[in-house]
Amino acid sequence: MKLEAERKLSGALYHLKRMEKFYLKEDEPFIYELEAFLVKVRGALDALLWDFNVKFKLGFKEEDRVDFKNFMLRACELGNEEALEFIKWWKEVFSKLRGSKFGFLFDKRNIAVHKKRVKPNLIQVQVTESLSILDSVTVTVYDKSGRMKENIEIGSGHRPSAGLRTSVEVGWFFKDYPGEDVLTLCWEFYNKVCEVVKVAKEKFDP
């Protein structure tokens, strides 16, 4: 059976692909998709608690708050060892993600939900110049004894000419983590959460 966490990730992937469509083209639609993505991908981690509440028959209802503390208390009350093993694992994984380079994205999600819109607040422009020399090339062929057999000329034989090539790369970034553009970072975050959900299924719901 498909987990609710997996459905959240399907939604996150939808918004992530929409982000690709608007990246560096239209900032307003990009921001809408970014905020929706952050809510969905972060929600997948919470949805795991609901999924395994159902599996371990902890008795939470849809209107109940299912977080780490309540999950742990209910599992202790019921003496459910499997549920306790799961929630300890979940907390460890969650803490590692929160303490990683993706940690600030948790905060961005909270800001988007409870306070104001979230958008990339840094634009980086990288200019690269390369010099290429266009000329013919002569290749000398030797036999096994080291004696020259022939010269082969490859190319036009025209006078050398130099060409200066300039490439410009522009990216949207968060000041909180300027090392990678927003799109790359969100793809990495998505893949990390996908891995968490996958491991949860393999480890606790084989």
Side-chain angles (χ1 to χ4, degrees):
M1 187 176 71
K2 192 169 187 177
L3 300 179
E4 287 301 320
E6 292 174 310
R7 291 190 174 94
K8 294 284 187 186
L9 287 174
S10 294
L13 180 59
Y14 169 83
H15 294 298
L16 193 50
K17 288 182 177 179
R18 297 273 295 171
M19 287 166 61
E20 285 188 323
K21 177 181 177 180
F22 297 118
Y23 184 67
L24 298 178
K25 297 173 185 174
E26 299 181 63
D27 56 348
E28 284 295 325
F30 180 84
I31 291 168
Y32 301 151
E33 300 299 338
L34 169 63
E35 291 183 329
F37 166 77
L38 292 174
V39 170
K40 288 289 186 183
V41 74
R42 169 67 178 83
L45 297 172
D46 290 331
L48 273 180
L49 298 181
W50 174 259
D51 288 325
F52 285 91
N53 151 66
V54 174
K55 174 177 174 56
F56 297 131
K57 299 180 173 61
L58 299 185
F60 287 107
K61 298 177 182 179
E62 290 183 1
E63 62 269 21
D64 294 334
R65 182 180 179 86
V66 186
D67 56 14
F68 168 74
K69 181 180 178 181
N70 290 338
F71 194 108
M72 176 69 85
L73 287 173
R74 184 67 60 85
C76 287
E77 289 171 0
L78 298 175
N80 191 321
E81 294 298 327
E82 285 184 297
L84 284 171
E85 183 183 354
F86 164 79
I87 195 60
K88 290 175 182 176
W89 171 85
W90 182 92
K91 181 62 173 177
E92 181 181 356
V93 169
F94 183 89
S95 297
K96 284 182 179 179
L97 273 177
R98 197 71 172 85
S100 71
K101 68 180 183 181
F102 306 111
F104 80 96
L105 293 178
F106 287 71
D107 299 324
K108 295 294 184 186
R109 175 265 180 194
N110 294 338
I111 292 170
V113 171
H114 302 294
K115 296 178 181 177
K116 62 178 185 177
R117 73 175 189 165
V118 167
K119 62 178 182 178
N121 49 11
L122 178 66
I123 297 177
Q124 290 190 15
V125 180
Q126 181 177 356
V127 179
T128 305
E129 292 185 342
S130 59
L131 184 66
S132 59
I133 304 298
L134 307 177
D135 192 11
S136 61
V137 176
T138 301
V139 178
T140 302
V141 180
Y142 296 88
D143 62 18
K144 292 183 179 180
S145 62
R147 291 177 297 185
M148 186 181 72
K149 292 180 61 178
E150 60 179 320
N151 287 325
I152 302 174
E153 188 171 345
I154 303 173
S156 64
H158 295 159
R159 292 179 61 189
S161 61
L164 185 62
R165 298 178 181 177
T166 302
S167 62
V168 179
E169 294 183 14
V170 181
W172 288 345
F173 296 77
F174 285 119
K175 289 181 180 178
D176 310 72
Y177 189 80
E180 291 177 287
D181 66 78
V182 173
L183 200 55
T184 299
L185 195 64
C186 286
W187 268 111
E188 290 181 7
F189 188 34
Y190 168 78
N191 289 329
K192 281 287 185 182
V193 178
C194 283
E195 184 63 24
V196 170
V197 173
K198 178 183 177 183
V199 171
K201 287 189 71 172
E202 293 174 349
K203 190 176 180 70
F204 300 101
D205 190 27

